[in-house]
Amino acid sequence: MELILHSVLAWLGSNSERIIILVVTVIATVIITKIVSKALNGLLDRSQIPSASIFVNIVLAVLWIMAAMMVMQPVFGVNPTTFATALGISGIALSFGLKDTISNIVGGFGLMVGKVIQPGDVIAISGTSGTVKDVTWRHTIVTELSGNEMWIPNSVLNTVSLEKLTMNGDAMVRIPLVLKGDCDPDQTAQQVLAITSKASNGLSTPSIPSVVRFQGFTAFGISAELWVFAKPEVMPALLQDTVVRALAGQDFLVQEKPEIPSGA
């Protein structure tokens, strides 16, 4: 035990200068990265550049690489130029194994620089919609209205159809209706809106009134569509369920297919 302790102390004594340089460099880099991270976040918030973590992460990665290059010669005795050359050669082989990661990094950077999407945007992809929470170096985080988070690889967003929605478009609930053919369209529309307004109180957006749009005629009556807009914190499916329950059984609606005589 004493021999091991003596060996450790001897090693620390002979390498104390290198250890001090390494510790000081690490501490200084940590402090600098925290300051730079805070400054960049503040700058991005005040600028027109999207405030996504991918920009901050790239800058922080560069700072740590620079710090590592600074301590190579004095601490590890490795020439930074030689190391960079070796890294460049091995990087070709490494890139094949990390092609998906590299594709996600490049894809995320392209999405942000091109302002295709940015945090706060409402998007729809593969039939699912949500709000962009963040764009990281590897994936984009999209929060659905239900609170669930989708982690979508950046490379996927560059290759699939992406739709940007307005907040109103994302919150709009469409309810198809079939009104009896002999009803008064204006009067019936007012009845539908009155029932909808009472049922959706507290669920729909007060600043955007509900609308009944007539679409045409069918063999069973007048086809129409009711548009209701959910509040940001309300699930559209909940609003739709509430309104449909309130409208069920109303005399002006055709709610089942009429029987057609066999001889017709």
Side-chain angles (χ1 to χ4, degrees), residues 210-263:
S210 302
V211 181
V212 175
R213 297 296 186 196
F214 294 98
Q215 299 173 327
F217 301 92
T218 69
F220 313 116
I222 304 172
S223 64
E225 194 170 61
L226 171 64
W227 297 355
V228 192
F229 298 87
K231 286 184 175 180
E233 68 275 10
V234 175
M235 292 182 62
L238 174 61
L239 177 61
Q240 183 176 17
D241 177 78
T242 302
V243 173
V244 170
R245 288 174 183 270
L247 290 173
Q250 298 298 322
D251 294 337
F252 50 76
L253 292 177
V254 177
Q255 300 185 59
E256 61 181 20
K257 182 177 179 180
E259 295 183 0
I260 300 177
S262 56

Side-chain angles (χ1 to χ4, degrees), residues 45-251:
D45 290 338
R46 293 191 300 270
S47 68
Q48 296 182 348
I49 302 175
S51 300
S53 62
I54 187 171
F55 290 118
V56 179
N57 290 338
I58 289 175
V59 174
L60 297 185
V62 170
L63 290 175
W64 277 107
I65 292 173
M66 291 175 61
M69 298 289 282
M70 290 174 59
V71 298
M72 280 185 180
Q73 184 69 45
V75 176
F76 301 102
V78 177
N79 190 318
T81 304
T82 304
F83 178 79
T85 302
L87 186 62
I89 297 174
S90 60
I92 298 175
L94 186 64
S95 63
F96 287 102
L98 298 176
K99 62 179 182 178
D100 290 338
T101 300
I102 295 173
S103 177
N104 286 325
I105 294 174
V106 174
F109 194 73
L111 288 171
M112 298 307 299
V113 172
K115 295 186 178 180
V116 178
I117 59 172
Q118 55 186 318
D121 283 348
V122 181
I123 64 172
I125 178 173
S126 301
T128 305
S129 62
T131 304
V132 178
K133 180 180 178 181
D134 192 13
V135 180
T136 69
W137 61 275
R138 184 169 183 177
H139 51 253
T140 296
I141 304 174
V142 178
T143 304
E144 298 178 287
L145 195 59
S146 61
N148 296 330
E149 288 188 352
M150 296 187 296
W151 293 42
I152 308 171
N154 294 329
S155 58
V156 172
L157 291 177
N158 278 287
T159 57
V160 300
S161 177
L162 176 68
E163 182 181 5
K164 292 182 72 173
L165 307 173
T166 63
M167 293 300 294
N168 293 343
D170 184 50
M172 184 171 67
V173 175
R174 297 172 179 262
I175 302 175
L177 305 172
V178 179
L179 309 178
K180 292 182 177 179
D182 58 353
C183 72
D184 181 279
D186 292 334
Q187 183 179 354
T188 304
Q190 292 302 319
Q191 288 180 270
V192 171
L193 293 176
I195 295 172
T196 300
S197 177
K198 183 177 179 180
S200 63
N201 184 31
L203 299 177
S204 61
T205 303
S207 59
I208 309 177
S210 302
V211 181
V212 175
R213 297 296 186 196
F214 294 98
Q215 299 173 327
F217 301 92
T218 69
F220 313 116
I222 304 172
S223 64
E225 194 170 61
L226 171 64
W227 297 355
V228 192
F229 298 87
K231 286 184 175 180
E233 68 275 10
V234 175
M235 292 182 62
L238 174 61
L239 177 61
Q240 183 176 17
D241 177 78
T242 302
V243 173
V244 170
R245 288 174 183 270
L247 290 173
Q250 298 298 322
D251 294 337

